[in-house]
Amino acid sequence: MAVSFYVTTPIFYGNGEPHLGHAYSTMAADILARHMRQRGEDVFFLTGTDEHGEPIALAAEKQGITPQELVDRSATQFRDMVARVDATNDFFIRTTDPGHVERVQRVVERVKENGYVYKGTYEGWYCPRCADFKSESEIGPGDTCPIHEIPLHREQQENWFFKLSAFQEKLERMYEEDPGMVVPDFRRNEALAFIRQGLRDVSLSRSELSWGVPLSWDPDQVMYVWFDALLNYYTALGYARDGEDLTERYWPASWHIIAKDILKFHAIYWPAFLMAAGLEPPRRMFIHGYLLMGEKKMSKSLGNVLDPFEVIDRYGADALRFYCFREVSFGQDGSISTAGFEGRYETELANDFGNLASRTLAMVSRYRDGAVPQAEPDPALTADFEGIVERVSGLLDEAQISQALEEVWTLVRRLNRYVEEAQPWVLAKDEGDAARLDQVLYCLVEGLAVLARLLHPFLPNATATLLEALGQPGLELAPFGAGEGGGRVEKIDPLFPKLV
Ligand code: ME8
């Protein structure tokens, strides 16, 4: 099997409007995808929209439009969000795609043939907004949904069931044998605790609903939306490219990037369902936290959103990508704010990085007429840069996005100190210091190029401009000192202009 890298985001509900939370998972997946492409990996990056189920049918009815009209509008908005954050997805799946619907039916038939589907009566609590059947431990006071704070429905339905209980031991064993499959660790422990409480069979289909994928053997029932949605990760590979099936090449997925709200579906239902179909479970999933405004989860209904589109209009997508992963450690919940954003934009992007770039280019222009000197790397810097590509790659292999960014930023600060220590403007005054000035300028250009390539997944636009100006447009990662000098630089406008 070919080694490849396949990364996904959740597919977002086609009745909502995109907000920063959705953009966050998308940017995270894009950072990994871009980094892996720089390493020459064979990458596939998938995102899309989840378009079936009651929540969508109900929202459309409320608005007096058809579910199809609703999801068409929403898919356009999500596609736009993905493009605005500069995500480089290879495909955008919609669960209403005929290619998805057909393949979902085929997989479920296999699950049935393998003996994991039976007819029964579901009796219990259901939240129409979560599209989730709640077990006793998941019910709020007064039989409410603890997430949406709305009354749960008591349901009694003839449904087809999926024998989730048959996978109790297999799942426990899988997580014991491969503890890195769900990260961070505390999320795997949550999933294991849920499994150890005892797994009950779950409804595989719903009656009294027509907005979904009909079961081929009982078309009066549609697939329970979560199984339909989860299968997107698998079905997309079958039809994303005309006339080509990418399944062999990319399945199992390398990483599913999701937030903690949908851990149960991904860490329990999904691998069990794949095993039931005779398919391999995903390799790994990263469960990130929530971006909060103050102490609260961002939500449109609470009116406390940092609007990603406003930020991008004013500061560009790079600044948004940078801020989210710098401010909040990826994997944890964390607060974000407009003031925090402006602070980091000014001190880190405009000053630490933007100024370093402008100064370096200006000094090479002024002192060496734009020609990058050929010189030996300064040992004072070589030691600090030693192993940086391996460290960042190692962290991104584990989806440790914030830690990887911190590693690079430590060297951005180091290069700034180097300018202050070496004082090229003093060296330039004395012909006797010409060789030393050559070395300092070479090191600044070389250091910046190494850092710009490592930062490319985070700041794709600014780093492309900078690498072009440094005369080194290639994105392949290389250690400090590999550059030979001798190229030419060009001056550029500030990468992160100060805004008044
Ligand atoms: O759950 N902070 O879709 P959804 C960080 N369709 N991430 C956030 C966030 C926040 N405040 N709010 C949302 C669904 N997210 C299903 C998924 S997958 C087979 C089906 C992100 O539109 C985060 O990735 O409610 C979360 O898991 C996802 O949006 C939920 O998106």
Side-chain angles (χ1 to χ4, degrees):
M1 190 175 49
V3 180
S4 59
F5 184 80
Y6 176 28
V7 62
T8 67
T9 71
I11 48 169
F12 305 114
Y13 281 132
N15 58 348
E17 281 182 23
H19 59 64
L20 186 58
H22 305 124
Y24 185 56
S25 312
T26 310
M27 295 186 294
D30 189 55
I31 287 167
L32 300 183
R34 284 179 183 265
H35 170 79
M36 287 302 181
R37 285 193 205 105
Q38 283 182 280
R39 282 164 58 178
E41 302 285 338
D42 177 17
V43 172
F44 197 81
F45 167 18
L46 181 72
T47 189
T49 39
D50 181 356
E51 304 192 345
H52 287 134
E54 261 117 332
I56 308 250
L58 292 173
E61 198 181 295
K62 242 186 178 166
Q63 296 180 37
I65 54 175
T66 64
Q68 191 64 52
E69 285 168 328
L70 179 71
V71 295
D72 285 348
R73 189 171 69 201
S74 186
T76 306
Q77 291 171 332
F78 276 100
R79 264 187 215 276
D80 178 51
M81 178 277 284
V82 169
R84 296 285 305 280
V85 300
D86 286 328
T88 53
N89 56 305
D90 294 287
F91 189 58
F92 188 99
I93 189 169
R94 300 181 55 183
T95 53
T96 51
D97 292 344
H100 171 74
V101 171
E102 261 158 47
R103 285 170 176 80
V104 166
Q105 289 175 324
R106 298 295 89 80
V107 177
V108 183
E109 282 163 14
R110 264 153 77 184
V111 174
K112 184 162 182 283
E113 280 156 24
N114 290 344
Y116 295 109
V117 175
Y118 64 92
K119 196 156 199 181
T121 304
Y122 174 76
E123 192 172 353
W125 297 104
Y126 181 77
C127 171
R129 297 268 295 280
C130 295
D132 189 12
F133 304 95
K134 302 289 180 183
S135 62
E136 292 306 321
S137 61
E138 295 175 296
I139 297 175
D143 299 328
T144 54
C145 168
I147 299 167
H148 293 101
E149 297 172 357
I150 55 169
L152 294 171
H153 294 185
R154 188 75 195 169
E155 290 210 340
Q156 194 177 14
Q157 273 195 8
E158 281 264 287
N159 286 167
W160 291 93
F161 275 71
F162 169 54
K163 255 190 221 171
L164 181 63
S165 58
F167 293 89
Q168 166 100 25
E169 278 170 26
K170 287 194 184 101
L171 289 173
E172 278 186 52
R173 209 176 322 125
M174 182 179 81
Y175 287 125
E176 277 152 18
E177 284 171 6
D178 188 3
M181 209 177 135
V182 172
V183 279
D185 284 352
F186 66 97
R187 297 290 177 206
R188 183 200 57 247
N189 293 337
E190 270 175 40
L192 258 176
F194 192 93
I195 297 168
R196 286 181 181 141
Q197 277 175 19
L199 293 180
R200 299 214 322 226
D201 295 346
V202 287
S203 288
L204 175 72
S205 69
R206 311 270 297 147
S207 57
E208 297 162 24
L209 173 75
S210 56
W211 187 242
V213 178
L215 296 180
S216 53
W217 67 88
D218 183 358
D220 289 339
Q221 300 249 346
V222 297
M223 278 277 281
Y224 170 41
V225 65
W226 264 102
F227 289 117
D228 166 3
L230 288 161
L231 277 166
N232 91 86
Y233 301 129
Y234 179 75
T235 62
L237 298 175
Y239 70 98
R241 294 285 171 269
D242 269 349
E244 198 183 352
D245 190 334
L246 303 174
T247 316
E248 276 286 302
R249 183 158 153 202
Y250 294 112
W251 193 260
S254 313
W255 280 114
H256 293 318
I257 306 290
I258 61 166
K260 60 184 184 178
D261 51 342
I262 52 181
L263 172 67
K264 177 178 84 178
F265 301 103
H266 283 76
I268 297 165
Y269 291 19
W270 180 221
F273 199 70
L274 285 165
M275 288 187 222
L279 298 169
E280 271 188 90
R283 291 205 175 98
R284 305 186 78 182
M285 47 190 100
F286 192 97
I287 321 299
H288 66 72
Y290 281 150
L291 296 180
L292 309 168
M293 292 289 272
E295 295 300 306
K296 294 219 176 251
K297 185 181 176 202
M298 260 186 330
S299 93
K300 202 89 188 168
S301 52
L302 294 171
N304 60 345
V305 289
L306 184 78
D307 183 344
F309 300 112
E310 277 174 25
V311 173
I312 291 170
D313 283 343
R314 207 168 135 80
Y315 298 93
D318 284 12
L320 182 70
R321 296 166 68 105
F322 176 82
Y323 173 69
C324 289
F325 297 97
R326 190 85 182 118
E327 186 75 6
V328 177
S329 180
F330 191 57
Q332 308 291 323
D333 286 349
S335 295
I336 52 163
S337 66
T338 311
F341 174 84
E342 286 167 1
R344 282 200 191 267
Y345 180 87
E346 179 89 13
T347 53
E348 300 195 318
L349 289 178
N351 291 347
D352 289 353
F353 191 62
N355 271 354
L356 176 68
S358 305
R359 285 172 98 180
T360 301
L361 294 169
M363 289 190 290
V364 177
S365 297
R366 190 173 325 133
Y367 304 138
R368 292 292 180 264
D369 208 18
V372 183
Q374 285 169 318
E376 285 299 307
D378 189 337
L381 276 185
T382 310
D384 294 322
F385 273 78
E386 178 77 40
I388 183 65
V389 172
E390 291 76 11
R391 282 204 299 286
V392 170
S393 298
L395 287 165
L396 290 178
D397 280 341
E398 299 298 312
Q400 302 288 324
I401 294 180
S402 301
Q403 289 82 344
L405 183 52
E406 172 60 22
E407 282 282 341
V408 187
W409 218 255
T410 304
L411 289 181
V412 169
R413 295 213 192 90
R414 173 70 189 100
L415 268 193
N416 275 300
R417 280 201 314 280
Y418 184 70
V419 179
E420 296 309 318
E421 285 159 17
Q423 302 198 323
W425 50 91
V426 175
L427 299 173
K429 286 187 185 141
D430 189 339
E431 249 322 290
D433 288 329
R436 171 68 181 148
L437 181 59
D438 279 348
Q439 183 180 47
V440 171
L441 294 177
Y442 165 81
C443 284
L444 288 174
V445 169
E446 177 65 7
L448 256 185
V450 170
L451 298 183
R453 288 189 291 261
L454 288 169
L455 286 171
H456 183 70
F458 300 89
L459 304 170
N461 301 296
T463 53
T465 307
L466 175 57
L467 286 165
E468 193 75 41
L470 291 169
Q472 305 188 35
L475 292 174
E476 203 179 319
L477 301 171
F480 182 78
E484 290 179 355
R488 293 200 61 79
V489 305
E490 281 163 22
K491 285 206 269 189
I492 48 172
D493 291 335
L495 292 173
F496 297 99
K498 295 200 179 171
L499 294 169
V500 273

